[in-house]
């Protein structure tokens, strides 16, 4: 006869499962990834693309797209029910980022966001630097708002 020992789960594992379910570790990871990608796109050296006779900056389309995507994601989180699973964790930010990259990228391209803000900030223009850091502060607040609203229901 073999004796099988069953391993009891420790109190630490139970508390971790409770913490991960209640606090939403997944949304924290999504928020940190979003913040990291936007930080890289805002503060990296601009890359030029020459198309025909026009110069296009990478940051002129990516950065406004990400900013608008984060804003749309926060709005989606405010107007939907509380998240229940992994599908809500993935679908809501992806929809926000896709819409934001389409519309925000177009607006950034049309209004030369990269040339007027990113290049000027990298050249040392204090007003452009202030504007870039204010965009960064806005994004931090919007990501925190989206993460806060992820597990809550505000509208019946």
């Amino acid at each position: 006869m073999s004796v099988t020992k069953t391993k009891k789960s420790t109190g630490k594992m139970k508390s971790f499962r409770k913490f991960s379910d209640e606090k939403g570790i997944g949304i924290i990871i999504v928020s940190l990834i979003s913040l990291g990608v936007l930080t890289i796109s805002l503060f990296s050296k601009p890359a030029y693309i020459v198309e025909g006779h026009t110069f296009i900056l990478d940051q002129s389309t990516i950065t406004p797209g990400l900013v608008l995507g984060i804003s749309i994601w926060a709005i989606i989180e405010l107007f939907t029910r509380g998240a229940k699973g992994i599908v809500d964790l993935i679908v809501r930010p992806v929809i926000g980022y896709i819409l934001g990259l389409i519309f925000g990228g177009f607006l950034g391209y049309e209004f030369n966001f990269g040339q007027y803000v990113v290049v000027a900030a990298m050249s040392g223009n204090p007003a452009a630097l202030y504007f870039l850091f204010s965009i960064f502060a806005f994004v931090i607040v919007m990501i925190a708002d989206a993460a806060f609203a992820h597990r809550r229901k505000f509208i019946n």
Side-chain angles (χ1 to χ4, degrees), residues 74-137:
I75 291 170
I76 288 171
E77 292 290 353
L78 282 174
F79 288 106
T80 54
R81 62 178 170 74
K84 300 245 189 261
I86 190 81
V87 175
D88 289 337
L89 178 67
I90 294 172
V91 170
R92 292 176 184 179
V94 167
I95 290 172
Y97 282 122
I98 287 173
L99 290 173
L101 286 172
I102 291 170
F103 295 117
F106 174 74
L107 290 173
Y109 173 76
E110 284 296 315
F111 294 111
N112 293 324
F113 175 82
Q115 186 66 34
Y116 291 134
V117 177
V118 177
V119 172
M122 295 301 162
S123 299
N125 185 344
L129 280 169
Y130 177 73
F131 185 66
L132 205 62
F133 281 111
S134 67
I135 289 173
F136 186 66

Side-chain angles (χ1 to χ4, degrees), residues 10 27 146:
T10 63
I27 197 65

